[in-house]
């Protein structure tokens, strides 16, 4: 794709107010592939005004018509599937097969689900002698990260549109080209001018201006817990709605009765996918002491298949690579046993980190507590179920997790006691309608499905 040198505001590409740009780098070969305008508060203000002006008309559009526009948006994205996959590969570094199968495909499922939900959602219900109306919150400021660049945009914009809200998007600075493609698709889908607007730029400048703008009614943020905390504070000060999808340190709990080989193989695949840059990755593998060494050997074998530059891509940036290597060094320094990978760069060019497995990790170690956001798995030993539960729940996070057991009911009983927002039972499949979001410091609110739609609605009751 050819990068736009402006912002998408009010249904057209307009020049930015400032002249600053920032580079987009291909993490696989470290080459600059484009320059994109660095938006300022003035660009954000213009975008919020356009979204505000478009809001009454879009909110008054019949849900079936909004559904038709979302379906058209889905079709526009589907028509550009190859271009999307290539763009994600160019700016995120994901292997093309992953970009096709996940980055360009999952957003279509999500857009589809909201085309259906927009048409079927009960925007009006009777409660005793009242009629309760579900009305759009207003103008949404959406701030997204880079790790699933299109999915995270669609997971916010599609439900916002379904609800009748208008949107200003500030995408991550590493992946603005995918966001520009999305803006083109909204234009092709015939969304009315101003319903969707895009401002590219740096987080502390454009992102902060969007979060602080008084014309924004809801800030929907996905990213790090550190930035989420600040955005929550800003939103609290202004008494405006906020949704936060933050970090994670999820547990893959393998109960003694489980099919160990399957649980370990799927667990390793879950972390290695997207080079470990997945907020819901099961980066802590919990194994009973009796089967511990067997699991460690299985994990070492499984991870060997992830050859850097082939099946596993680089990290998004040199900074992320530095951060992840720092965690690997820390794991070694704190006494964990390295059974695969390590801090050395596996390839000379590109921001690659070797797929890494640590054994003898104790629950208190830094690598068992902090989000690493790289291809690093920690295998932790437990003595009994109570111990496993204490370890699984023993971090500040609670985003996702997995439980494996011979008997589904046994796994479900354990999952019910986990302090986390989503649990896969014996390798459960992705469901675009299942609410996704965090307990504890993993966030506030939910995305996807009807629960995700309700984040963009506020209720009004009429009494008769
Ligand atoms: P980040 O918090 O640095 O950036 C996320 C977004 O916020 C970017 O668009 C960035 O430009 C913007 N931003 C940065 N500073 C800002 C500020 N002061 N004000 C407003 N906006 C600002 O996170 P990242 O490094 O891009 O992403 C990695 C993190 O995101 C990880 O911690 C990961 O777990 C988390 N994540 C969570 C989910 C989830 O659904 N829970 C999904 C993906 C990623």
């Amino acid at each position: 794709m050819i990068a736009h040198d402006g912002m998408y505001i009010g249904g057209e590409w307009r020049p930015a107010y400032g002249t600053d740009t920032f580079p987009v780098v291909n993490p696989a070969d470290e080459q600059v592939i484009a320059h994109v305008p660095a938006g300022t508060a003035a660009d954000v203000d213009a975008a919020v005004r356009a979204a505000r002006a478009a809001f009454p008309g879009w909110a008054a559009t019949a849900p079936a018509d909004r559904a038709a526009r979302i379906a058209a948006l889905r079709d526009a994205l589907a028509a550009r599937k190859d271009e999307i996959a290539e763009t994600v590969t160019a700016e995120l570094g994901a292997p093309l097969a992953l970009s096709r199968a996940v980055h360009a495909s999952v957003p279509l499922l999500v857009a589809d689900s909201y085309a259906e939900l927009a048409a079927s959602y009960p925007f009006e219900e009777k409660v005793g002698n009242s009629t309760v109306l579900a009305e759009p919150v207003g103008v949404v400021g959406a701030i997204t990260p880079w790790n699933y660049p299109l999915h995270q945009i669609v997971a916010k914009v599609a439900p916002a549109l379904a609800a009748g809200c208008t949107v200003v998007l500030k995408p991550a600075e590493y992946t603005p080209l995918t966001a520009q493609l999305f803006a083109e698709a909204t234009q092709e889908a015939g969304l009315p001018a101003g319903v969707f607007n895009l401002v590219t730029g740096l987080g502390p400048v454009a992102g902060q201006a969007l979060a602080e703008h008084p014309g924004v009614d809801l800030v929907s943020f996905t990213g790090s817990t550190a930035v989420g905390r600040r955005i929550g504070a800003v939103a609290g000060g202004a008494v405006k709605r906020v949704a936060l999808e933050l970090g994670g340190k999820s547990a893959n709990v393998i109960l003694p009765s489980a099919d160990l080989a399957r649980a370990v193989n799927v667990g390793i695949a879950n972390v290695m996918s997207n080079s470990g840059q997945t907020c819901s990755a099961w980066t802590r593998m919990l194994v009973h002491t009796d089967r511990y060494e067997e699991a460690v050997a299985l994990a070492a074998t499984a991870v060997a298949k992830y050859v850097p530059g082939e099946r596993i891509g680089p990290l998004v940036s040199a900074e992320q690579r530095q951060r992840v290597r720092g965690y690997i060094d820390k794991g070694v320094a704190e006494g964990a046993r390295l059974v695969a990978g390590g801090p050395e760069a596996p390839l000379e060019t590109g921001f690659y980190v070797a797929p890494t497995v640590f054994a003898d990790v104790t629950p208190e170690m830094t690598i068992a507590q902090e989000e690493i956001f790289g291809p690093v798995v920690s295998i932790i030993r437990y003595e009994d179920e109570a111990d496993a539960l204490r370890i699984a729940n023993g971090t500040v996070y609670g985003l996702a997790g997995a439980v494996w057991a011979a008997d589904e009911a046994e796994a479900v009983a354990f999952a019910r006691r986990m302090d986390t927002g989503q649990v896969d039972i014996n390798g459960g499949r992705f469901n675009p309608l299942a609410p996704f979001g965090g307990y504890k410091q993993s966030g506030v609110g939910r995305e996807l499905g009807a629960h995700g739609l309700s984040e963009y609605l506020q209720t009004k009751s009429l009494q008769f």
Side-chain angles (χ1 to χ4, degrees):
M1 75 167 291
I2 299 164
H4 288 275
D5 58 4
M7 307 297 181
Y8 186 70
I9 294 176
E12 59 182 12
W13 293 94
R14 292 188 197 170
Y17 279 93
T19 52
D20 286 356
T21 62
F22 60 94
V24 185
V25 175
N26 183 330
D29 62 13
E30 306 183 29
Q31 298 300 306
V32 174
I33 54 174
H35 285 89
V36 166
T40 60
D43 299 297
V44 168
D45 186 56
V48 172
R49 283 171 195 277
R52 177 61 58 199
F55 175 63
W58 184 247
T61 301
D65 295 335
R66 296 204 296 262
R69 284 301 120 223
I70 298 169
L73 175 59
R74 182 241 173 252
D75 292 345
L77 293 171
R80 286 163 162 255
K81 216 177 143 192
D82 289 342
E83 196 183 357
I84 290 168
E86 282 156 20
T87 304
V88 173
T89 288
E91 60 183 0
L92 180 65
L96 195 55
L98 181 74
S99 293
R100 287 207 176 103
V102 175
H103 292 293
S105 299
V106 171
L108 301 180
L109 297 177
V110 174
D112 247 345
S113 73
Y114 281 113
E116 276 175 34
L117 273 165
S120 61
Y121 192 84
F123 290 102
E124 203 174 307
E125 60 172 336
K126 291 259 184 247
V127 179
N129 62 313
S130 302
T131 296
V132 178
L133 309 178
E135 299 187 332
V137 167
V139 173
V140 175
I143 301 175
T144 54
W146 42 265
N147 55 337
Y148 289 87
L150 185 60
H151 169 66
Q152 279 142 347
I153 292 172
V154 172
K156 295 189 191 307
V157 177
L161 298 181
C165 293
T166 57
V167 182
V168 177
L169 169 67
K170 205 303 282 176
E173 35 278 72
Y174 293 127
T175 54
L177 303 180
T178 305
Q180 290 189 339
L181 272 180
F182 178 82
E184 288 179 6
T186 66
Q187 196 171 30
E188 286 158 12
L191 274 187
V195 169
F196 171 80
N197 308 274
L198 170 68
V199 176
T200 52
L202 307 182
V205 182
Q208 194 158 327
L210 184 58
E212 288 174 350
H213 199 292
V216 169
D217 301 298
L218 160 69
V219 183
S220 179
F221 170 81
T222 299
S224 61
T225 298
V227 176
R229 194 174 280 127
R230 294 182 55 169
I231 287 182
V234 168
V239 197
K240 69 171 69 163
R241 302 262 299 257
V242 66
L244 304 170
E245 297 286 348
L246 308 177
K249 190 73 192 174
S250 298
N252 179 17
V253 182
I254 306 177
L255 294 176
S257 64
D259 175 343
L260 187 68
R262 182 145 182 269
V264 171
N265 284 327
V266 175
I268 292 289
N270 169 283
V271 179
M272 294 305 141
S273 173
N274 216 36
S275 308
Q277 303 169 117
T278 304
C279 49
S280 56
W282 312 328
T283 50
R284 296 181 300 147
M285 187 183 286
L286 274 54
V287 183
H288 189 269
T289 188
D290 289 349
R291 307 190 75 185
Y292 190 78
E293 288 305 330
E294 199 188 334
V296 170
L298 285 165
T301 306
V303 86
K305 288 185 232 141
Y306 292 86
V307 178
E310 293 174 23
R311 201 152 157 202
I312 186 165
L315 299 192
V316 73
S317 64
E319 296 75 38
Q320 285 295 114
R321 178 182 56 184
Q322 194 52 32
R323 212 174 143 254
V324 171
R325 282 192 190 156
Y327 275 115
I328 297 175
D329 286 335
K330 203 159 212 169
V332 173
E334 291 184 7
R337 170 168 46 121
L338 202 52
V339 292
E344 295 80 28
L347 293 172
E348 260 173 36
T349 310
F351 308 132
Y352 290 91
V353 169
T356 296
V357 177
F358 276 112
D360 298 344
V361 178
T362 60
E364 301 73 30
M365 286 182 185
T366 307
I367 56 169
Q369 287 293 323
E370 295 184 14
E371 184 178 54
I372 298 176
F373 232 55
V376 183
V377 179
S378 296
I379 312 184
I380 306 175
R381 185 191 301 270
Y382 67 82
E383 301 296 329
D384 55 29
E385 235 179 73
D387 194 29
L389 188 68
R390 184 183 58 77
I391 298 167
N393 288 341
T395 77
V396 296
Y397 294 113
L399 189 56
V403 185
W404 302 80
D407 176 18
E408 206 166 84
E410 185 192 353
V412 171
F414 191 96
R416 283 181 183 277
R417 292 184 287 158
M418 289 169 78
D419 301 332
T420 193
Q422 195 168 87
V423 184
D424 287 2
I425 305 295
N426 284 337
R429 283 173 303 120
F430 174 70
N431 174 5
L433 295 174
F436 177 75
Y439 279 36
K440 301 191 283 186
Q441 289 185 30
S442 285
V444 175
R446 292 293 177 270
E447 290 197 313
L448 303 183
H451 295 80
L453 175 51
S454 68
E455 296 281 332
Y456 297 90
L457 295 166
Q458 53 191 346
T459 51
K460 177 186 287 173
S461 28
L462 311 178
Q463 280 60 248
F464 295 89

